[in-house]
Amino acid sequence: MFLCTAGEPGDVVQFAEYVGKNIQLYKMINGIELSPYACANFTRNQMATSLRSRNSFLANLVVGGFSTNERDQERSQLYSIDYLGAMVSANVVAHGFCQFFALAIGDRLWKEDLTVEEGLVMLQTIVNEIGKRMAAYPHCMFVRIIDAQGIRVLDNVYPEKVTVNKPIEEDLQRSADMMDIHG
């Protein structure tokens, strides 16, 4: 199971440690490892409970893993949990300002029998698009593959060379005239 977080730095660290330690404690006490679905539900419950208290956390989370239960049909599971305690199971998950680009591309390119190579091409497309459209884009994405063999670390994904054409001065003047921002 893995847990990725986004949000306010203090809240993210505190909540992630709290959830991770409680999941480990459950495993130590009961001798049973929770499935990704159970971990996601526990995390969602804790987020919703904290929302109704004085110490709510401003953190968005991605919970995923590979279930080996017969009931879950041995498959990968991915869940998105927002700071309000809403949980969604999805094939492609993203949080933050760039999520709209990532989810749109992921929705278009995802298919049921996606191979690892096709998934990496999809991720490269997402990183390239974010690099083109965002002023402060990530310089690399850390890639982890979770399957029946466990968690594997792959090479980081970097945006391909992004070129931005410098606008011509008369185009800037024309757009300023259209917006009427100077006299």
Side-chain angles (χ1 to χ4, degrees):
M1 199 237 5
F2 76 94
L3 176 74
C4 297
T5 57
E8 293 295 320
D11 290 347
V12 163
V13 171
Q14 207 172 20
F15 188 73
E17 286 180 357
Y18 173 75
V19 168
K21 299 297 181 190
N22 275 290
I23 290 172
Q24 285 298 104
L25 180 63
Y26 183 89
K27 180 181 175 184
M28 289 169 42
I29 290 172
N30 298 308
I32 300 170
E33 189 166 346
L34 293 175
S35 69
Y37 178 72
C39 290
N41 275 295
F42 172 77
T43 305
R44 187 209 65 78
N45 186 2
Q46 294 304 311
M47 182 63 76
T49 303
S50 76
L51 184 65
R52 292 162 182 84
S53 69
R54 288 182 173 254
N55 57 350
S56 63
F57 297 101
L58 186 58
N60 296 315
L61 302 107
V62 175
V63 178
F66 192 85
S67 178
T68 56
N69 294 351
E70 294 172 5
R71 196 174 64 111
D72 291 335
Q73 292 90 30
E74 294 192 7
R75 62 182 179 92
S76 58
Q77 299 172 349
L78 187 63
Y79 301 94
S80 172
I81 303 170
D82 69 359
Y83 69 99
L84 297 172
M87 183 176 85
V88 175
S89 175
N91 299 315
V92 178
V93 175
H95 283 293
F97 195 68
C98 300
Q99 75 179 349
F100 303 110
F101 304 118
L103 292 175
I105 293 168
D107 188 45
R108 182 172 43 102
L109 297 179
W110 192 88
K111 59 184 181 180
E112 189 66 38
D113 55 346
L114 192 72
T115 65
V116 172
E117 291 77 22
E118 291 170 334
L120 292 174
V121 168
M122 180 174 67
L123 183 61
Q124 184 68 55
T125 305
I126 290 170
V127 170
N128 291 342
E129 196 64 31
I130 290 172
K132 282 187 235 175
R133 295 182 180 266
M134 302 304 294
Y137 66 90
H139 294 285
C140 76
M141 295 281 191
F142 305 109
V143 182
R144 308 290 185 264
I145 294 180
I146 300 173
D147 57 9
Q149 288 80 36
I151 299 175
R152 296 179 297 181
V153 177
L154 269 60
D155 292 334
N156 297 340
V157 175
Y158 298 91
E160 294 174 353
K161 189 66 179 167
V162 177
T163 58
V164 178
N165 297 330
K166 184 177 177 186
I168 303 169
E169 185 62 35
E170 61 189 44
D171 289 341
L172 292 174
Q173 185 66 35
R174 192 174 323 123
S175 63
D177 290 337
M178 289 172 30
M179 291 187 286
D180 195 32
I181 59 173
H182 67 285

